[in-house]
Amino acid sequence: MTTSGSADLVILANRLPVDRVRSADGTLGWRRSPGGLVSALEPIMRNNDGAWIGWPGVPDEDVEPFVDEGLSLVPVPMSAQEVEEFYEGFSNGTLWPLYHDVVAKPEFHREWWDSYVAVNERFAEKAAEIAAEGATVWVQDYQMQLVPRMLRERRPDLRIGFYLHIPFPPTELFQQLPWRRQILEGLLGADIVGFQLNGAAQNFVRLVRQRVGHKTHRDTVYLPDGRTVQARAFPISIDTRGFEELARSESVTQRAAQIREALGNPKTVLLGIDRLDYTKGIYPRLRAYSELVAEGRFSVDDAVFVQVATPSRERVEQYRVLRDDIDRLVGRINGDLGRIGQPAISYMHSSFPRHEMAALYRAADIMVVTPYRDGMNLVAKEYVACRYDNDGALVLSEFAGAAEELRQAWRVNPYDINGMKAAILEAAHADDREVTRRMKAMRKTIMEHDVAGWAAAFLGALSEVQGTHSKTLRPSRRS
Ligand code: GDG
């Protein structure tokens, strides 16, 4: 167990990787929330006397540090008001839409910002308290962008890494943010700022040069105090082998057959799985499919669409509106095109255990992933991992980070409904050799780049940083 000031590796994220559960006899306990990040980091954390700092998901409660299945967890409390202002407000009502191409309109509220600063400070304080001398602290994601600088001010001895899981916007959009300079300076507290894609790293470096006035060269920022900061791409991945193993299991194989049976054994099963989020392009995807049915290119007996939308951020207004929009669209499509016992779209607004997800991936002939903008999109990679027979077609938005690696997918522009229709049809009619050729190549990519490799690459780079330079710099410009 990690005691104060003894952790050599600290992961700092908005959430702890556990959910609070109440068992049948009424006692409260914790259940590990499954995720690639925790499974990739777990072995590294065990070997390094690691600790994970995060909010335990329950407002207005102080939870003592505890150990869960050998993982040392350090809770940071949050009030109900902070959940509203810091999490639902600034993180998900301001930053999330701003960083995703303003797909929805970001809201700017000064009290949300104040809350963001206060919560970031609390997290930085906690990391400063538990990290050992010279330890490594890895800060995760958009909710925590001020932590690197706040932490460095308190603990200059630390190695600090930051990783952004979502896109980083171009200057033209980022500059809308009233607190743009503070965010950039917050991130510059890290030794390495990691992004999903090179383009995002370049956006960041350009902004730092233009807005903060620091000298930059390629992926390096030179600060006046002699420090350097690297901005680099580390595309995240999944536990590829873990998914494949699950997909090969007898129970998943049987369940996949059951799913197809329940759908009426159609020739083609199309699948979408997403958090119910306006960035994911669920609406245009369902429209594209419904038009294909309406035009007689697909029949509902031949081609069924299964859409899973996992409940998400339900207290944020834009998410409630989206849910109503999708409900209405699915109702209308099924009303117009479905027949008794054979709806066109099987729509589920719920979340499922991992093995059910794997069974769905196994049951689907075509996976349709059409975000307007997505940092990476792990669902696309999980589908590929589960297709161990090299069958199955992936239709993938060119605006998902995953499109840079999964080049053999049928690529689509989610704003172009006709283009999507054509790609879905092409995927449905492709011959087996073509499907196999594409899937094989994509499987090779994700076998070679899994989440353990991602974590090792980031932490390896962080352990190698020198972090200083001896350039003479002019004073930084303000903007
Ligand atoms: C952010 C970025 C980036 C979904 N429903 C269920 C379930 N899931 C799992 C999927 C997948 C994960 O959640 C979703 O990951 P995505 O990458 O698709 O999307 P975001 O949640 O938006 O994630 C994204 C990612 O961070 C990592 O850096 O790729 O771009 O937006 O793993 O399988 N899992 C279970 N039941 C569900 O119902 N068990």
Side-chain angles (χ1 to χ4, degrees), residues 46 93 99 175 199 232 249 257 277 333 345 348 437-438 472:
R46 278 189 214 285
Y99 282 31
Q175 62 193 8
R232 288 175 50 189
S249 71
D277 195 293
I333 294 172
I345 299 172
M348 280 145 301
R437 182 188 68 77
R438 292 183 183 231
T472 317

Side-chain angles (χ1 to χ4, degrees), residues 165 196 275 280 310 351-352 357 374-378 382:
H165 290 255
Q196 302 276 20
R275 265 190 316 98
K280 301 290 183 184
T310 310
S351 49
F352 295 98
M357 304 274 292
D374 216 331
M376 176 55 62
N377 196 292
L378 299 181
E382 289 165 5

